[in-house]
Amino acid sequence: MTIAITGATGQLGRLIVSQLRAVLPAEALVALVRTPAKAESLGIAAREADYTRPETLRRALAGVDTLLLISSSEIGQRATQHRNVIEAAKQAGVKRIVYTSLLRADTSPLSLAQEHRETEAMVKASGLQFTILRNGWYAENYTGAIPGALANGAFIGSAGEGRISAASRADYAAAAAAVLASPGHEGRTYELAGDEAWTLAGLAEEVSRQAGRAIPYRNLPEADYAAALSGLGLPDGLARGLASWDVEASRGALFDDGHELSRLIGRPTTPLAVSVARALG
Ligand SMILES: NC(=O)c1ccc[n+]([C@@H]2O[C@H](COP(=O)([O-])OP(=O)(O)OC[C@H]3O[C@@H](n4cnc5c(N)ncnc54)[C@H](OP(=O)(O)O)[C@@H]3O)[C@@H](O)[C@H]2O)c1
């Protein structure tokens, strides 16, 4: 049985490959990547597979039984890119697709959700066996901002009192590895999120506690937060997106208390205190 992983040179993909290698022989795994040279450290075979170049996808998927399609990072291009992958998988005789989607993609108000809804529909219409992993927010989306917050003396955001059920990338990677390496997930859609829900003020408190100095959270109007992110050098579209997703989070779009992630991985998800300690360490 051959399992192929797209996006294997990305942050989530690398973690998934390493978790799969702990339970499966390297020969059972193949990395599908844009740049094979970046895949050497993965320790498994790598094939060129660019979502925008269907001929690379057909070649790369030859002999693959199960495909993990990690959603592309090219927001706005993803429905087309994912369609290319799903079409190529059908042509290549892939039997099963596992797709990383977004928490409650069917009803989520996040602007990101539309491409995931379209992809889920394509996966289901493909006729292949499927499993959907609807991932909530990565804790790293926020802990990545800790160095900046320490430098500036405050966290900024627009998530207000919204509780965010984030989990670490490694937690979501463990879920993907579990679903890929074990039977019984056909036709399932998993809503995956952290066991612990926290606000950005709670994150700031935890950082303050561990850093030994007060780093408060300042909630900004959406336009001000987007402008601040643009000022830090983010592309305007991404800055506006991040600010709008924070506002949706303030209304509960990233809260979940179903605990499906910890059930799937057989352990609690990574606590906020641990994610903060890792970011500070
Ligand atoms: N739930 C969340 O909080 C959250 C946060 C951020 C992103 N995401 C989503 O989850 C995915 C995985 O997260 P991540 O942290 O691993 O993101 P990442 O590190 O940016 O990895 C994205 C991967 O997509 C690959 N990719 C992009 N365009 C491609 C193309 N045209 N053809 C083939 N591969 C392409 C990249 O290839 P290269 O290695 O060649 O660059 C990379 O391996 C992201 O792509 C995004 O859809 C979720």
Side-chain angles (χ1 to χ4, degrees):
M1 195 193 58
T2 301
I3 299 175
I5 302 108
T6 71
T9 45
Q11 299 165 90
L12 182 68
R14 284 185 182 277
L15 292 168
I16 293 171
V17 169
S18 108
Q19 300 209 26
L20 283 172
R21 285 200 60 200
V23 292
L24 293 173
E27 300 72 45
L29 305 173
V30 52
L32 303 193
V33 298
R34 263 198 294 207
T35 316
K38 275 176 66 180
E40 278 163 18
S41 58
L42 293 174
I44 60 173
R47 299 179 187 166
E48 185 188 14
D50 186 324
Y51 299 151
T52 65
R53 293 170 50 224
E55 70 283 5
T56 65
L57 299 169
R58 281 192 296 273
R59 268 199 307 271
L61 285 162
V64 167
D65 301 294
T66 293
L67 169 66
L68 173 64
L69 170 54
I70 293 184
S71 54
S72 171
S73 48
E74 300 182 324
I75 297 170
Q77 312 298 316
R78 298 193 286 187
T80 307
Q81 294 185 353
H82 296 166
R83 175 176 294 110
N84 290 340
V85 178
I86 295 161
E87 284 302 319
K90 276 164 41 183
Q91 287 172 25
V94 169
K95 295 183 186 60
R96 174 184 177 219
I97 299 189
V98 179
Y99 173 63
T100 64
S101 182
L102 172 71
L103 184 66
R104 293 190 294 276
D106 52 343
T107 57
S108 173
L110 266 60
S111 58
L112 288 170
Q114 180 57 27
E115 291 177 311
H116 289 295
R117 276 194 284 271
E118 287 177 44
T119 306
E120 287 191 7
M122 290 188 275
V123 166
K124 289 176 182 171
S126 70
L128 309 186
Q129 290 177 13
F130 68 87
T131 308
I132 308 283
L133 301 172
R134 287 183 172 164
N135 290 348
W137 243 214
Y138 302 155
E140 289 86 347
N141 295 348
Y142 296 108
T143 57
I146 290 176
L150 290 173
N152 297 319
F155 272 96
I156 55 170
S158 294
E161 291 301 303
R163 294 172 69 208
I164 299 166
S165 306
S168 71
R169 267 198 194 86
D171 296 333
Y172 295 109
V179 161
L180 289 166
S182 65
H185 305 287
E186 287 73 24
R188 299 285 307 268
T189 296
Y190 292 104
E191 304 286 356
L192 302 179
D195 290 329
E196 189 187 2
W198 33 266
T199 62
L200 295 192
L203 167 67
E205 269 170 37
E206 184 58 32
V207 172
S208 304
R209 192 181 69 76
Q210 294 193 26
R213 64 192 171 97
I215 310 288
Y217 171 61
R218 280 201 296 127
N219 200 59
L220 299 178
E222 181 176 347
D224 294 3
Y225 182 40
L229 292 172
S230 296
L232 291 171
L234 267 70
D236 286 349
L238 181 60
R240 280 198 301 275
L242 285 164
S244 77
W245 306 331
D246 246 24
V247 170
E248 297 299 354
S250 76
R251 303 179 182 130
L254 295 170
F255 175 76
D256 180 82
D257 59 359
H259 301 273
E260 280 191 33
L261 176 52
S262 50
R263 273 200 298 278
L264 201 48
I265 64 181
R267 60 167 173 80
T269 59
T270 306
L272 173 63
V274 173
S275 294
V276 168
R278 283 182 188 149
L280 285 171

